[in-house]
Amino acid sequence: MAAASSSDSDACGAESNEANSKWLDAHYDPMANIHTFSACLALADLHGDGEYKLVVGDLGPGGQQPRLKVLKGPLVMTESPLPALPAAAATFLMEQHEPRTPALALASGPCVYVYKNLRPYFKFSLPQLPPNPLEQDLWNQAKEDRIDPLTLKEMLESIRETAEEPLSIQSLRFLQLELSEMEAFVNQHKSNSIKRQTVITTMTTLKKNLADEDAVSCLVLGTENKELLVLDPEAFTILAKMSLPSVPVFLEVSGQFDVEFRLAAACRNGNIYILRRDSKHPKYCIELSAQPVGLIRVHKVLVVGSTQDSLHGFTHKGKKLWTVQMPAAILTMNLLEQHSRGLQAVMAGLANGEVRIYRDKALLNVIHTPDAVTSLCFGRYGREDNTLIMTTRGGGLIIKILKRTAVFVEGGSEVGPPPAQAMKLNVPRKTRLYVDQTLREREAGTDLYLLRLRAARAYLQALESSLSPLSTTAREPLKLHAVVQGLGPTFKLTLHLQNTSTTRPVLGLLVCFLYNEALYSLPRAFFKVPLLVPGLNYPLETFVESLSNKGISDIIKVLVLREGQSAPLLSAHVNMPGSEGLAAA
């Protein structure tokens, strides 16, 4: 009976969790044998019949050949082998002619394979790069039998270590061979011309001239030789070429190619570069403290996931807006866009088996999965508008459908106060010790007034010891006031020195500056003060140059001394600004 009641309670708990969930469990197959990542997933109406299919660029782990798979519902409809590992998959409209069925583009190795109606339509290959002249000369010598294979290997290894340009595929394969296999390889390939080919690392789409959802789009490619290429959707010619300081791994674009567009590229050096139309080089740079693992654009905010288990929000000009720490490492990211409610959010798959959904830094929902999720895709699948497709680390396939009544609220819980608010606190009864302590504190209330009195005396002492730009002293009738002007890095420091005596002039004074020489530079560290007539204000001007480009500020101490004496008559601390912004003390 106890076991039966326990199982009944577990079943009731599962039903309650399912009832409170925003998702319907449509399908789960742990043995689907799909190994991919988010960039190689795409949803599209490939046949124009209103039935959306899932396109998967499968990596083919365990020595298997990479394959292009197309799923209809939970089943694989078609699959075909790929010559190299897939880098990205995207669907786009190539032309305005009817019927308007989208084309499928799959980036693999140095090529982009374009399919229409799931049939091969076009193959675009990246242009070949010029080979290294030293490498070409070595193979020419091998062709004429002037060097032996062992010398060729040593020279090629030297070029690989020192040259900025990578070696050709032929040379790299030669360096992997055993000594006994080298001579046969040289005899077989020495007559071949040296070809250096780059590969595609990432791919996305950019609208051509209209912002409509069914407008013609261009393909944007990121390559291993640190370039971005924009392809014409009809002729597949290169419309634009842009250079980057590092290899791009994630791309996000907005706008139209013929009008104005903005392109963000996350690179292997840990930076994100922003490019605009007609710019051959990056316009802005966002420096990250760790390597990026994902890049998603939500409205006008760039959301970046890093290897420090955190999400960061940036503007397109590089200003950081917010940071959210994750409970585990981020494995994959993608965009959740619910058109019916105008919602855009970021989905992050974590190593602890959670999928977290954020709008800005607010947590909307948490999905728990039986295995860590390695790829995410949200959109129309079949005839359901809001479908979430996930693949797991073990090759499983999970399909969930968002309920039509589901509303995402901040905090990931239901609308209303949290359940903990209704719980009664176990407040202990007042003990005799607590009552006695309360009475003692009430009687000793005068301690607060003594504390305020001590604080006021300390403040008065600080004023008398010249710890502010406005200082007076009883030994000499002098008054000093300092003003800093300028935007930086050069500031104008003006000292207003006044003799407050009514009859006696002051003569033989020196002004000395004490400052951090690593942050500031002054033309003179001290100078003489002219005769101070009673009642007049004497402005003494000098220039201060900030040497730090990080906006670091410090204090410059101004001392007024009499000639032949080491003790200052008057002093003031001037709060200098950094090299950025206007400041006045």
Side-chain angles (χ1 to χ4, degrees):
M1 293 293 291
S5 62
S6 175
S7 61
D8 291 343
S9 63
D10 293 343
C12 292
E15 292 176 0
S16 176
N17 292 336
E18 185 176 355
N20 294 331
S21 174
K22 296 177 174 57
W23 303 90
L24 296 174
D25 295 329
H27 177 72
Y28 173 50
D29 182 9
M31 306 299 292
N33 195 26
I34 296 178
H35 299 83
T36 185
F37 46 93
S38 298
C40 290
L41 291 180
L43 293 168
D45 182 10
L46 298 176
H47 297 96
D49 56 357
E51 189 82 15
Y52 277 65
K53 280 84 174 177
L54 174 65
V55 179
V56 180
D58 195 287
L59 302 177
Q64 302 177 15
Q65 186 176 10
R67 306 186 74 83
L68 171 63
K69 298 181 179 180
V70 179
L71 281 75
K72 180 179 179 181
L75 303 176
V76 177
M77 189 171 67
T78 62
E79 60 178 303
S80 55
L82 295 174
L85 289 174
T91 58
F92 67 107
L93 284 171
M94 299 172 50
E95 52 196 9
Q96 297 285 356
H97 306 304
E98 297 291 342
R100 307 196 63 197
T101 57
L104 168 64
L106 187 78
S108 177
C111 302
V112 177
Y113 301 93
V114 181
Y115 300 83
K116 291 201 72 174
N117 295 318
L118 288 182
R119 296 178 180 176
Y121 178 79
F122 189 82
K123 174 185 173 183
F124 171 80
S125 298
L126 293 176
Q128 292 186 1
L129 304 177
N132 191 317
L134 297 177
E135 179 188 4
Q136 182 72 59
D137 183 61
L138 286 177
W139 281 103
N140 289 337
Q141 295 181 34
K143 181 179 180 181
E144 299 171 0
D145 296 328
R146 289 191 290 169
I147 57 174
D148 58 280
L150 186 58
T151 307
L152 177 62
K153 177 185 177 182
E154 295 176 353
M155 297 297 291
L156 288 176
E157 287 179 344
S158 175
I159 294 175
R160 183 173 61 176
E161 294 175 358
T162 57
E164 296 182 0
E165 299 177 352
L167 296 176
S168 63
I169 300 297
Q170 179 175 319
S171 298
L172 293 176
R173 288 178 179 173
F174 173 74
L175 293 178
Q176 295 175 350
L177 299 176
E178 298 293 337
L179 188 59
S180 58
E181 303 173 343
M182 290 182 180
E183 185 174 357
F185 184 88
V186 171
N187 293 331
Q188 181 181 357
H189 296 88
K190 63 183 180 181
S191 299
N192 299 342
S193 59
I194 300 298
K195 298 178 181 179
R196 192 164 67 89
Q197 184 74 59
T198 185
V199 295
I200 300 171
T201 57
T202 181
M203 180 178 67
T204 187
T205 59
L206 170 65
K207 300 295 182 183
K208 183 75 166 59
N209 46 29
L210 295 175
D212 300 339
E213 188 174 350
D214 58 347
V216 175
S217 300
C218 305
L219 290 178
V220 183
L221 309 179
T223 65
E224 189 72 29
N225 62 324
K226 308 174 186 179
E227 286 185 342
L228 295 176
L229 306 178
V230 181
L231 303 184
D232 183 84
E234 295 183 3
F236 290 97
T237 56
I238 298 176
L239 297 177
K241 182 184 293 187
M242 292 160 277
S243 299
L244 293 172
S246 182
V247 179
V249 289
F250 299 106
L251 288 177
E252 274 295 334
V253 297
S254 60
Q256 300 89 46
F257 178 79
D258 292 340
V259 184
E260 179 63 40
F261 67 89
R262 184 180 282 111
L263 194 151
C267 299
R268 287 183 189 160
N269 61 354
N271 294 339
I272 299 175
Y273 298 99
I274 312 297
L275 299 98
R276 305 187 70 173
R277 190 173 186 269
D278 298 330
S279 63
K280 301 297 182 182
H281 301 281
K283 185 175 180 63
Y284 301 103
C285 174
I286 302 174
E287 295 184 0
L288 303 177
S289 57
Q291 288 291 327
V293 295
L295 176 65
I296 303 295
R297 181 179 61 87
V298 181
H299 299 299
K300 295 184 178 181
V301 178
L302 290 175
V303 181
V304 186
S306 71
T307 53
Q308 290 180 337
D309 307 342
S310 57
L311 288 177
H312 308 278
F314 294 92
T315 65
H316 280 283
K317 292 187 177 180
K319 180 182 178 182
K320 182 181 281 191
L321 300 176
W322 48 264
T323 298
V324 177
Q325 194 67 29
M326 298 289 107
I330 302 174
L331 300 182
T332 185
M333 293 171 56
N334 214 332
L335 177 68
L336 184 150
E337 186 170 11
Q338 190 180 7
H339 296 283
S340 59
R341 300 186 183 274
L343 171 69
Q344 282 191 353
V346 173
M347 303 181 294
L350 307 183
N352 62 352
E354 290 183 354
V355 176
R356 294 190 162 220
I357 302 175
Y358 285 89
R359 180 171 56 198
D360 291 336
K361 61 179 180 179
L363 178 63
L364 301 182
N365 190 235
V366 179
I367 302 172
H368 298 276
T369 57
D371 194 5
V373 172
T374 56
S375 68
L376 295 163
C377 187
F378 183 86
R380 184 178 177 87
Y381 187 42
R383 297 187 182 274
E384 285 291 337
D385 286 332
N386 302 313
T387 306
L388 175 60
I389 300 171
M390 300 173 281
T391 65
T392 63
R393 182 180 291 166
L397 174 64
I398 304 174
I399 302 177
K400 291 180 178 289
I401 299 175
L402 184 65
K403 294 180 180 178
R404 290 178 173 84
T405 58
V407 178
F408 289 109
V409 294
E410 296 184 3
S413 59
E414 300 299 328
V415 179
Q421 185 172 325
M423 297 175 59
K424 292 185 178 181
L425 297 177
N426 187 16
V427 181
R429 298 183 61 185
K430 295 181 181 180
T431 61
R432 184 63 186 173
L433 178 62
Y434 171 79
V435 175
D436 293 344
Q437 181 66 22
T438 304
L439 293 176
R440 280 195 296 270
E441 291 177 356
R442 189 177 300 172
E443 293 172 358
T446 55
D447 294 342
L448 178 61
Y449 296 100
L450 292 176
L451 179 62
R452 291 174 178 173
L453 178 61
R454 294 192 186 99
R457 286 175 177 172
Y459 177 67
L460 178 61
Q461 183 179 3
L463 292 178
E464 291 178 349
S465 60
S466 307
L467 295 179
S468 66
L470 181 62
S471 302
T472 59
T473 180
R475 288 177 289 177
E476 290 288 342
L478 298 175
K479 185 178 180 181
L480 176 63
H481 182 63
V483 175
V484 183
Q485 295 174 317
L487 296 175
T490 301
F491 302 94
K492 181 180 179 182
L493 175 59
T494 305
L495 305 177
H496 297 275
L497 193 58
Q498 184 179 2
N499 182 4
T500 58
S501 174
T502 56
T503 57
R504 184 170 62 89
V506 178
L507 184 64
L509 298 181
L510 295 173
V511 173
C512 178
F513 300 98
L514 298 180
Y515 57 95
N516 189 344
E517 295 182 356
L519 298 179
Y520 298 106
S521 173
L522 277 76
R524 293 183 297 171
F526 70 96
F527 54 86
K528 291 185 178 181
V529 179
L531 175 68
L532 299 180
V533 178
L536 295 182
N537 184 20
Y538 287 82
L540 306 175
E541 299 177 351
T542 186
F543 290 94
V544 181
E545 183 179 1
S546 176
L547 304 179
S548 173
N549 57 0
K550 298 181 180 179
I552 301 175
S553 61
D554 199 2
I555 293 175
I556 294 181
K557 190 169 184 180
V558 183
L559 304 177
V560 180
L561 308 95
R562 184 174 294 281
E563 291 184 4
Q565 297 182 4
S566 59
L569 303 175
L570 193 62
S571 65
H573 287 195
V574 183
N575 292 317
M576 293 296 298
S579 61
E580 301 173 0
L582 174 64

